[in-house]
Amino acid sequence: MDLRPRESSAVFFLLVIFTLSKFSEAQSICSATFASVIKENNAINAVVTTISAEDGVTARITSQVPEGLFSLDGYNLIAVTVLDYETFDEEKPHEVHVECTKVGSFSTTLTLRIIVDDVNDNPPAFAKSQYTLNVDELTKLETSVGLITATDPDKSDVLYYRLDSPEGEFGLLADFNASIVVKKLLDYDKVKKITMTLYAQDTQIGSTAEVSHTASTTIEVNIVDIDNRPPWFQPCTEIEFATSKVCLNSGYEGTVKLNEQETGPLSLKPGPVMAIDGDKGRNDAIGYTFLEKTEDPTFQINIDTGSITMLKPVGNAEPIVLTVMAYQKENADQLATTTVILKVVISSNHPPKFVNPSYEGFISEDAGVDSLVLESKTSNRPLRVQATDEDFTNGYNPDIKFEVVDGTDFSITPEGFILMAKTVSPGTVNLQMRVFDTNNDESSTASLAVEVTPGVPTTTPVTTIMTSSIITTDQTTNTQLTASTSTSRPGALTTLPPSTGGLQGRAGEYSAGEMAAVGASLAVLLVLCLIGIGVMARRIKGHNADWKKLSEASIFRSSLGGGSGGPKEGMQYSNDGFQHDEDSGSVNSKLAAHLENKLESGMRRGPPQENTTRSAAPVPHTSSTSPPPDTSSLADSETIDGEKEVKPILTKERRAEEGYKAVWFKTDIDPNTKEDVVIIPDTGEADGDQEEDEDSEDEDNLRTDMDSEDEEI
């Protein structure tokens, strides 16, 4: 058996054991932690780790990666520079190789790995100081329109965000997600640009921890006008409805002459046909066309400008209505329509013209709105502009109107008076006036210079003026001008010179007390006048009643007495039942008694002569204001009595009603007898206390007459 291979194996085994023993001895002379951690931003010579070694062991750094970072101070491994985590590669930690030696022992090499720990020592940062976003108007809510983030060199930090939007138009998806979303509906017409600020911090939003580092940036958001509106004809009135907006146009008007072709674009009101893009931020190109298509058109429209021109004369006097469509050239689906109404008129030879090529007026600055401009500073005569039309014989054209061209400080009434339209500062205002024929729009112009002076008002506001606005060339027309005034200043109305047609204005000032005194005086005078009229009416009524009663009684007496020859022969009749009634003291009762006694005395003496017979009827006393009795009626009755006898209606009853007239007798008589009848007139009782004096005077006069007659008898 060959033992040499075994001997070789034993020798190898012994060598291994010897080597392991020597390695174990070497390892034991020094040792250290396999990996050490040090925080960044360390102090110089800060101890990273300490090597454990036996006495007599010497340690030294043989190499390190990267170089120059560490050193040995005895058995302490120290950092000779400030370490920075941001420059540290976690996948390749720092390495330091240390060799330990000892006399009589194998040397030992240690590999130390150094890890740099991160510290929150850096603020977050945005890549730009300002960002710009373009956002379409009417974008749906919660739509993300951009993402802007910050970075933090401290890789372990988590960043949180906050957005400051002025009106809350935008917000963030989350505080840890800087995605910007729409929070309010955006309208380009209301807001075109929004400026916001975005903040970033390494501390959670809302936490109680102190915020260590922050950063901010500015965000400019441009609202983009989208193509969501059709063209708008101008001028128009904008109306909002929810999120939509429309602009209403009332159309256009103009005139063309019958059987005449206009050259150039037609003049229209309120202006030429024109449309703009309803999306003002886009201002897309607009095209024009007529909706009516005919084989032989009379009008044509410019596709780019909208100007309307004539291709041939109009032969029909009826109004013409054209429909115009405006559309976007890039998007024909956005379109709008309007109407153009053309009035066909018969041309005239002369346009209306102002009487003067220029006018000058004056007004006070504090005259007030709607005040009249005056002809001069020293008069209250209002300035009036007038025009004539030579197409009319007298120069009067009832279809003309006045207007101020390109001015709002003053206006002209249809009658040609100039009114202040708003408050104007002192100085001279130069205006251009236009007079035009409403039938054919022929016109002419004149200049107007209004000097606005400081101080007291030169006129008062007027609101309504009705008169003729045209003067005639061959005849003068007196026009009546009436003005109703309205002002905030107290004053009295005064009449202007006759040439203004009776225009009234205010002049002077009266207090409320003065006006009250005038009113009270007028009221007292009115009451006194009414009282006087009532007294006069009462007196006239009483005298008329007395005269009427006496006149009728005289006529009746004359007819019964045989006419002018005196009373007929016969008996005297009386009524004893009424001789001593309640009114025995009245003039009538006394008169009746006196006449009865006188007649009895005359019968005893014999019948009186026909020529000397006196009338038994008393002559009443009249005032100067009462009308005299109608003597012609008495004469007529006497004449008739000679031809025909009168048969009166007689009664034995006396009635007390006012105005009742009757003849009463003591006994019944035969109307056919020829006996004389004496009529005693009953004038009735006096009406009121004012007639008592007249009755007394009448009674005295009657007594005097009766005494005279008694003496004659």
Side-chain angles (χ1 to χ4, degrees):
M1 174 178 227
D2 191 0
L3 296 176
R4 275 189 271 189
R6 289 191 177 189
E7 290 178 357
S8 298
S9 297
V11 172
F12 177 76
F13 180 73
L14 291 174
L15 290 174
V16 171
I17 293 175
F18 177 79
T19 301
L20 290 175
S21 64
K22 288 296 183 180
F23 180 79
S24 175
E25 182 180 358
Q27 285 290 332
S28 64
I29 65 174
C30 67
S31 62
T33 306
F34 177 78
S36 300
V37 177
I38 183 174
K39 291 183 178 296
E40 65 175 333
N41 303 327
N42 58 282
I44 302 298
N45 297 326
V47 177
V48 179
T49 186
T50 301
I51 300 173
S52 299
E54 296 177 353
D55 295 338
V57 175
T58 301
R60 69 182 181 87
I61 298 176
T62 59
S63 64
Q64 56 180 311
V65 179
E67 295 290 339
L69 298 180
F70 303 96
S71 178
L72 283 175
D73 181 13
Y75 295 122
N76 294 326
L77 181 66
I78 62 175
V80 296
T81 185
V82 178
L83 301 176
D84 186 7
Y85 175 80
E86 284 69 38
T87 62
F88 174 73
D89 189 355
E90 293 180 355
E91 296 181 357
K92 294 180 180 181
H94 300 319
E95 289 186 356
V96 177
H97 300 282
V98 178
E99 182 183 20
C100 297
T101 62
K102 183 179 180 180
V103 179
S105 301
F106 290 99
S107 62
T108 304
T109 300
L110 300 176
T111 300
L112 303 179
R113 289 176 173 82
I114 310 303
I115 299 174
V116 180
D117 191 13
D118 187 19
V119 176
N120 186 14
D121 61 338
N122 294 290
F126 289 96
K128 299 179 182 179
S129 61
Q130 180 173 329
Y131 293 84
T132 301
L133 298 177
N134 295 321
V135 180
D136 291 343
E137 66 172 337
L138 305 179
T139 300
K140 293 183 179 180
L141 303 183
E142 300 301 329
T143 300
S144 177
V145 295
L147 176 63
I148 300 175
T149 60
T151 59
D152 192 340
D154 300 324
K155 298 179 181 180
S156 61
D157 288 349
V158 177
L159 296 181
Y160 300 90
Y161 299 91
R162 177 172 59 88
L163 181 63
D164 184 8
S165 181
E167 300 295 335
E169 299 92 344
F170 297 92
L172 297 176
L173 188 62
D175 59 358
F176 55 85
N177 188 337
S179 180
I180 301 174
V181 296
V182 178
K183 291 295 184 181
K184 286 187 176 180
L185 195 64
L186 305 174
D187 187 353
Y188 175 84
D189 292 335
K190 295 180 179 179
V191 58
K192 297 176 176 57
K193 179 178 290 187
I194 300 173
T195 301
M196 306 183 297
T197 303
L198 180 63
Y199 298 92
Q201 63 186 50
D202 53 15
T203 306
Q204 186 173 2
I205 304 296
S207 67
T208 58
E210 182 180 356
V211 177
S212 56
H213 299 95
T214 61
S216 65
T217 186
T218 301
I219 303 175
E220 293 284 348
V221 180
N222 296 319
I223 308 302
V224 179
D225 193 6
I226 63 175
D227 188 12
N228 66 318
R229 294 189 182 127
W232 288 352
F233 283 99
Q234 300 298 303
C236 62
T237 303
E238 295 185 11
I239 300 176
E240 291 188 12
F241 180 74
T243 59
S244 301
K245 181 182 291 186
V246 296
C247 201
L248 300 180
N249 171 262
S250 58
Y252 302 88
E253 294 180 351
T255 59
V256 294
K257 297 179 181 179
L258 184 66
N259 298 324
E260 293 186 20
Q261 182 177 349
E262 297 283 347
T263 59
L266 298 181
S267 177
L268 303 176
K269 291 183 178 181
V273 175
M274 183 185 68
I276 62 173
D277 188 356
D279 301 309
K280 299 178 182 179
R282 299 179 60 88
N283 197 24
D284 290 337
I286 305 298
Y288 304 90
T289 185
F290 286 134
L291 290 184
E292 299 89 351
K293 302 296 183 181
T294 59
E295 296 181 357
D296 186 18
T298 305
F299 302 92
Q300 71 175 3
I301 187 169
N302 188 293
I303 190 174
D304 297 318
T305 64
S307 298
I308 300 176
T309 56
M310 296 184 68
L311 298 177
K312 63 179 182 179
V314 176
N316 194 338
E318 296 180 356
I320 301 172
V321 179
L322 304 175
T323 303
V324 178
M325 180 179 71
Y327 59 93
Q328 293 183 12
K329 292 183 177 180
E330 299 297 329
N331 182 12
D333 290 335
Q334 296 287 16
L335 57 90
T337 61
T338 189
T339 57
V340 177
I341 301 177
L342 300 176
K343 183 180 180 181
V344 181
V345 298
I346 300 175
S347 62
S348 62
N349 297 324
H350 305 281
K353 293 183 179 180
F354 284 95
V355 175
N356 299 320
S358 63
Y359 294 85
E360 184 179 11
F362 302 86
I363 192 170
S364 173
E365 64 171 331
D366 55 355
V369 177
D370 291 337
S371 296
L372 287 171
V373 175
L374 304 182
E375 289 184 348
S376 66
K377 297 180 181 179
T378 59
S379 73
N380 59 354
R381 182 189 180 101
L383 174 66
R384 183 182 182 187
V385 299
Q386 296 175 312
T388 61
D389 192 336
E390 296 181 7
D391 289 328
F392 294 81
T393 304
N394 58 2
Y396 173 70
N397 184 349
D399 298 319
I400 69 168
K401 288 187 178 181
F402 298 99
E403 67 178 3
V404 175
V405 181
D406 298 332
T408 59
D409 295 334
F410 295 88
S411 62
I412 307 180
T413 68
E415 296 77 21
F417 294 97
I418 313 300
L419 301 180
M420 179 185 286
K422 63 181 181 181
T423 303
V424 182
S425 301
T428 301
V429 180
N430 295 314
L431 301 172
Q432 189 80 4
M433 300 180 298
R434 175 175 175 260
V435 58
F436 61 95
D437 191 330
T438 57
N439 288 327
N440 52 32
D441 204 33
E442 293 182 343
S443 64
S444 63
T445 60
S447 62
L448 171 64
V450 179
E451 181 179 346
V452 182
T453 61
V456 181
T458 60
T459 185
T460 56
V462 297
T463 56
T464 303
I465 300 178
M466 300 179 62
T467 184
S468 173
S469 60
I470 307 300
I471 66 171
T472 60
T473 57
D474 56 357
Q475 65 179 7
T476 301
T477 304
N478 293 326
T479 59
Q480 184 68 24
L481 173 64
T482 304
S484 63
T485 63
S486 175
T487 181
S488 59
R489 287 186 291 273
L493 289 175
T494 60
T495 303
L496 298 178
S499 59
T500 62
L503 178 65
Q504 291 184 341
R506 290 186 180 274
E509 296 184 356
Y510 299 100
S511 63
E514 292 173 338
M515 297 301 295
V518 173
S521 301
L522 294 176
V524 172
L525 292 176
L526 179 61
V527 172
L528 293 177
C529 291
L530 292 176
I531 293 175
I533 293 172
V535 172
M536 293 176 62
R538 186 178 182 87
R539 294 174 63 89
I540 292 173
K541 179 180 179 182
H543 285 295
N544 289 340
D546 291 343
W547 275 110
K548 185 175 182 181
K549 292 177 182 180
L550 291 174
S551 177
E552 292 177 352
S554 299
I555 295 172
F556 188 61
R557 170 189 172 280
S558 176
S559 64
L560 294 177
S564 59
K568 298 179 181 181
E569 295 182 358
M571 298 179 61
Q572 175 183 352
Y573 298 93
S574 63
N575 195 338
D576 293 337
F578 293 92
Q579 294 299 320
H580 304 286
D581 56 1
E582 295 179 355
D583 60 347
S584 60
S586 65
V587 176
N588 297 329
S589 60
K590 293 178 180 180
L591 178 60
H594 177 72
L595 290 175
E596 182 179 1
N597 294 331
K598 188 173 70 171
L599 289 175
E600 291 179 354
S601 175
M603 291 177 66
R604 288 192 299 269
R605 296 179 183 179
Q609 296 296 326
E610 182 176 358
N611 294 333
T612 60
T613 304
R614 294 178 180 272
S615 173
V619 178
H621 175 74
T622 62
S623 63
S624 60
T625 60
S626 301
D630 189 0
T631 56
S632 62
S633 63
L634 294 175
D636 294 340
S637 63
E638 291 178 357
T639 304
I640 296 173
D641 185 61
E643 300 175 357
K644 183 179 179 180
E645 295 183 356
V646 177
K647 296 182 179 181
I649 299 176
L650 306 177
T651 179
K652 294 177 65 177
E653 297 179 357
R654 181 183 183 186
R655 300 184 182 182
E657 290 90 348
E658 181 179 359
Y660 186 87
K661 302 174 183 61
V663 179
W664 65 92
F665 297 90
K666 189 182 302 182
T667 58
D668 293 336
I669 64 174
D670 184 4
N672 295 323
T673 60
K674 301 300 181 180
E675 297 176 351
D676 291 337
V677 179
V678 179
I679 305 300
I680 303 175
D682 185 4
T683 59
E685 302 243 349
D687 296 334
D689 296 337
Q690 297 181 359
E691 297 183 3
E692 291 180 357
D693 296 337
E694 297 180 2
D695 294 340
S696 300
E697 185 177 356
D698 294 339
E699 184 177 355
D700 294 337
N701 293 334
L702 289 173
R703 286 196 185 100
T704 303
D705 294 339
M706 288 186 290
D707 293 339
S708 300
E709 292 177 358
D710 291 340
E711 292 177 359
E712 292 177 1
I713 295 173

